[in-house]
Amino acid sequence: MSVQSVDRALEILSLFSTTSPRLGITDISKAMGLPKPTVHGLVRTLTSHGFLAQDPESKKYSLGLKIHEMGTILAGSLRINQVGGSPAQMLTRSTGLATRLGIWDQQAVLVTLLLFPDTVNVLYHHIGPRIQAYCSSLGKAILAYLPQQEVEDYLGKHPLTPITTTTITNREDLLKDLESTRVRGYALDREECISGMSCIGAPIFNYAGAPVGSISISGPPDQVLGDRTAALARELLLTAQQISSFMGWRPGEAAKAALVTAPRSRVK
């Protein structure tokens, strides 16, 4: 049995996002369909405990530092980050591209770790922390290895809304793309999520062989797609295989065929 005040407080926190980082009492009241006095009491309590913070000038609210503190604790306790942090750092150094680790959560990818190369010569776009699966390499790398029924369930609940001019919006085209992902072992994002950024993603498996997460490298299309793709994908697959093994995965013959085993070398 749920507690109404707790439900409402959690709903208030869930209203904040990268597109709506600051909200006023009126905004929250309209979004929740609650009277302003009720909202004000809930917000005041959340603020007193550090879960919300009020801007003294605009009087609007944003997520408080307590949320950041708890998020940091969670990120550090996630096994995929614990075992994948070092390999991800090596991948960033060897490719010179941004690396993201993510987990499959509520039919989307939640980015748990983001690493940038030491020398950033381009503006990296902010995405996440929750990323749509159908238009990202992180998501497609997972979708490609989910049971067919789970993919059908996903497609039934998530319309393929165009985000950029290259987003795959046709069901059959997406299924073909997922099949290609399984054949080569990695997914491609051809500016489907953000214009000016392309990615290569690979699945991360747990001890049972289920795709519980993924890892990607990203950058401008001319640095990711084309002549470098094969070499970059090779580095990515080696890293994904290493992290999966740390997660307890022991690949079968079919999975082995999608991965490579070769000495790691810096991608030129």
Side-chain angles (χ1 to χ4, degrees), residues 7-258:
D7 281 342
R8 288 176 171 176
L10 294 175
E11 188 176 347
I12 288 175
L13 294 176
S14 298
L15 291 175
F16 294 88
S17 65
T18 53
T19 55
S20 301
R22 294 177 180 80
L23 298 170
I25 295 295
T26 300
D27 302 321
I28 298 172
S29 176
K30 288 181 178 178
M32 297 184 64
L34 293 175
K36 288 184 181 180
T38 301
V39 170
H40 190 271
L42 291 166
V43 167
R44 184 173 55 209
T45 300
L46 289 168
T47 302
S48 69
H49 288 280
F51 289 95
L52 290 179
Q54 185 180 35
D55 182 82
E57 294 184 7
S58 69
K59 303 301 181 182
K60 290 193 172 185
Y61 293 85
S62 60
L63 294 177
L65 292 177
K66 188 66 175 180
I67 298 290
H68 175 73
E69 180 184 349
M70 295 179 69
T72 301
I73 294 171
L74 173 61
S77 66
L78 290 173
R79 179 154 180 77
I80 195 170
N81 283 1
Q82 292 174 340
V83 302
S86 180
Q89 287 179 335
M90 290 179 61
L91 182 64
T92 296
R93 285 196 291 266
S94 67
T95 62
L97 297 172
T99 298
R100 287 177 173 83
L101 271 176
I103 57 174
W104 187 241
D105 178 67
Q106 300 179 33
Q107 294 194 324
V109 179
L110 184 65
V111 176
T112 61
L113 184 65
L114 170 59
L115 300 170
F116 292 115
D118 294 333
T119 303
V120 180
N121 297 319
V122 297
L123 176 62
Y124 279 91
H125 301 274
H126 175 76
I127 61 172
R130 190 171 292 277
I131 301 176
Q132 291 274 19
Y134 70 91
C135 59
S136 64
S137 69
L138 283 170
K140 290 192 289 183
I142 296 173
L143 284 175
Y145 290 90
L146 287 177
Q148 182 178 352
Q149 186 54 52
E150 289 189 36
V151 176
E152 292 293 335
D153 183 56
Y154 173 86
L155 291 174
K157 294 179 179 178
H158 298 271
L160 305 182
T161 305
I163 298 177
T164 70
T165 57
T166 58
T167 303
I168 298 175
T169 58
N170 179 275
R171 173 192 171 96
E172 293 306 315
D173 289 341
L174 179 60
L175 291 175
K176 289 179 181 177
D177 191 72
L178 296 181
E179 175 61 26
S180 296
T181 295
R182 285 191 294 273
V183 170
R184 62 180 172 244
Y186 60 88
L188 293 174
D189 167 6
R190 306 172 181 85
E191 300 183 76
E192 297 161 41
C193 185
I194 293 180
S195 296
M197 187 175 79
S198 292
C199 313
I200 309 174
I204 293 173
F205 301 98
N206 68 2
Y207 67 95
V212 292
S214 53
I215 183 171
S216 74
I217 46 179
S218 60
D222 61 350
Q223 293 185 21
V224 176
L225 304 179
D227 295 340
R228 295 185 78 210
T229 302
L232 289 171
R234 187 179 184 83
E235 290 291 295
L236 178 69
L237 289 171
L238 281 167
T239 303
Q241 182 183 33
Q242 182 179 19
I243 297 174
S244 294
S245 68
F246 291 154
M247 297 285 286
W249 179 62
R250 296 296 178 264
E253 293 305 315
K256 287 180 181 178

